[in-house]
Amino acid sequence: MKIQQDVYFDDLEPGHELPGREYGPLTIVDTVRWAGLQENWQHLHYDRDWVREHDGLRAFIASGAYRQALLMRMLTDWIGPRGWLRKISIRHTHPTFEGDTMRYSAVVVKKSPDPADPWIECELEGKNQDGRQILTGRCTLLLPPKTRLNTGAT
Amino acid sequence: MSEREVLSEVLLAWIGRTSPLQPLEVLSASDVRRYVDATGDANPLWLDDDFARSLGHRGRLLPPLLVGWIPFSLKEQGASERLASFDLRRQLPVPENYTNVRNAGSETEWLKPAFLGEPLSSQSRIVDIVARPGKMGMGIYVTQEEQVFNPKQEIVLRRRHTIALFPKQPFGAKEGSEGDR
């Protein structure tokens, strides 16, 4: 398979917006498939009657780990095979209910002054189909400079 | 309930408690396949050994989210004592009606690649327990730090994760804006 690296440290500056992603609408198939992977049988993620009775919610909600996985997929796709997701912090601010979408965005806010230590920091945000924020976060990404490739390989 | 009522001395005594170093289940190619099916994250770095080797890795990597992955069922109370000790938070003496658990947030750092089939081990420590009032009542916020080690005892992952526990909610009470599980 051909190695395609589209993003380089040298080309980025604070203010650069990463390509956003939209996932969903969330279905019971999505949440059950995730529950199976995680072996997480909490009714919160698939049982409409139970969440109304027990949690006072109008519908089941996506697992936080599932939402994080989709956000991380957006980042690891963008940094390419020679990039490295070094750090991510996430704060969940509103649930994703059945039928909701997850729209993720990221913007570069900081860049290493040292090309020998090529990292950038991004602010992350997730919103639902109504524009309501569902999560915020921050990440540190290592990117290859054009002159010296950084694979993170061991 | 007030802050004093939910934060008993017995509960607060758990701050600083550390789990033993536990070997994690070795993740298989089918675990990764099910992760890819669930997320659509078909990155060749976790699916194609040759591709990963062409980048200097010794084989395909685990997707970052699966590093230190512990199936939820192993963390549940009711499992054996050894398995339950994977997640100290499952053993906390919180009030009985605090059954509504939400994921309040996390910070995760990947220090080295972890590879498919690599035996990893994990250790965790309760670092903070606080109470805060919110839309869903008085919440108990528990923060745990976890480290995941490779066979060379190098740290491949560090995570600081906070869960929020709330009392059982009546229908239509709130929509859980404090976060989700």
Side-chain angles (χ1 to χ4, degrees):
Chain A
M1 183 180 284
K2 184 174 179 288
I3 298 171
Q4 186 169 339
Q5 181 68 40
D6 296 326
V7 181
Y8 292 91
F9 173 75
D10 316 54
D11 298 332
L12 299 169
E13 293 297 335
H16 181 95
E17 290 182 14
L18 280 62
R21 283 274 179 92
E22 178 170 330
Y23 302 100
L26 184 76
T27 69
I28 198 166
V29 175
D30 298 325
T31 59
V32 167
R33 200 157 37 192
W34 186 260
L37 171 72
Q38 202 176 15
E39 298 179 14
N40 180 350
W41 310 118
Q42 305 295 308
H43 295 251
L44 182 62
H45 301 310
Y46 57 85
D47 189 332
R48 297 179 180 108
D49 294 335
W50 193 90
V51 295
R52 276 196 288 269
E53 164 68 22
H54 182 270
D55 288 331
L57 301 176
R58 60 184 153 86
F60 60 79
I61 63 174
S63 136
Y66 178 64
R67 304 197 316 176
Q68 180 169 344
L70 297 178
L71 178 59
M72 287 166 55
R73 175 188 163 194
M74 177 183 96
L75 297 171
T76 52
D77 281 352
W78 180 72
I79 60 179
R82 297 188 192 278
W84 182 252
L85 170 58
R86 175 60 186 262
K87 188 175 185 178
I88 190 167
S89 58
I90 288 179
R91 190 169 69 87
H92 298 280
T93 54
H94 187 69
T96 296
F97 292 95
E98 179 183 19
D100 285 358
T101 58
M102 293 156 273
R103 295 173 180 165
Y104 293 138
S105 61
V107 60
V108 179
V109 292
K110 211 169 169 184
K111 180 179 180 180
S112 166
D114 179 5
D117 182 19
W119 54 262
I120 60 167
E121 278 186 17
C122 300
E123 279 183 359
L124 311 169
E125 188 173 47
K127 291 183 175 177
N128 68 13
Q129 66 285 351
D130 300 322
R132 177 162 184 175
Q133 184 190 76
I134 58 171
L135 62 80
T136 60
R138 203 170 177 99
C139 69
T140 304
L141 306 170
L142 308 186
L143 289 166
K146 283 178 173 168
T147 50
R148 183 179 64 85
L149 294 179
N150 170 26
T151 65
T154 57
Chain B
M1 294 181 88
S2 70
E3 181 179 335
R4 281 187 63 178
E5 286 171 312
V6 298
L7 292 184
S8 66
E9 282 183 25
V10 178
L11 177 60
L12 292 175
W14 279 72
I15 298 173
R17 200 169 290 195
T18 304
S19 75
L21 186 66
Q22 300 270 10
L24 298 172
E25 278 193 338
V26 176
L27 295 185
S28 68
S30 71
D31 293 318
V32 173
R33 177 177 51 75
R34 287 185 297 122
Y35 163 83
V36 170
D37 284 346
T39 60
D41 184 8
N43 194 317
L45 272 173
W46 13 105
L47 291 172
D48 185 335
D49 280 316
D50 290 339
F51 181 82
R53 286 192 198 104
S54 71
L55 287 156
H57 300 294
R58 68 167 188 259
R60 52 176 144 159
L61 279 56
L62 284 178
L65 198 83
L66 294 189
V67 178
W69 184 258
I70 301 172
F72 208 83
S73 55
L74 294 189
K75 296 190 283 188
E76 287 292 276
Q77 283 179 345
S80 72
E81 190 174 322
R82 189 187 79 79
L83 295 178
S85 67
F86 269 123
D87 194 337
L88 295 172
R89 296 169 300 185
R90 296 276 154 195
Q91 305 167 54
L92 292 174
V94 297
E96 268 186 29
N97 64 329
Y98 272 68
T99 55
N100 204 338
V101 184
R102 301 300 170 89
N103 182 343
S106 62
E107 181 176 282
T108 311
E109 194 172 7
W110 292 268
L111 304 175
K112 287 179 172 295
F115 300 95
L116 183 68
E118 186 173 40
L120 302 173
S121 53
S122 172
Q123 188 163 38
S124 59
R125 185 166 66 101
I126 302 286
V127 293
D128 200 19
I129 302 174
V130 298
R132 282 202 300 269
K135 292 177 183 174
M136 296 170 69
M138 182 62 72
I140 302 173
Y141 291 78
V142 180
T143 302
Q144 177 169 278
E145 284 181 354
E146 301 154 25
Q147 292 184 321
V148 177
F149 300 86
N150 65 16
K152 296 177 184 170
Q153 296 307 306
E154 298 167 320
I155 299 173
V156 293
L157 175 143
R158 277 197 293 248
R159 178 165 40 222
R160 188 180 171 93
H161 185 213
T162 301
I163 58 168
L165 299 100
F166 298 97
K168 179 180 173 180
Q169 301 291 306
F171 174 56
K174 302 291 172 214
E175 290 205 336
S177 57
E178 282 86 354
D180 68 347
R181 190 160 188 163

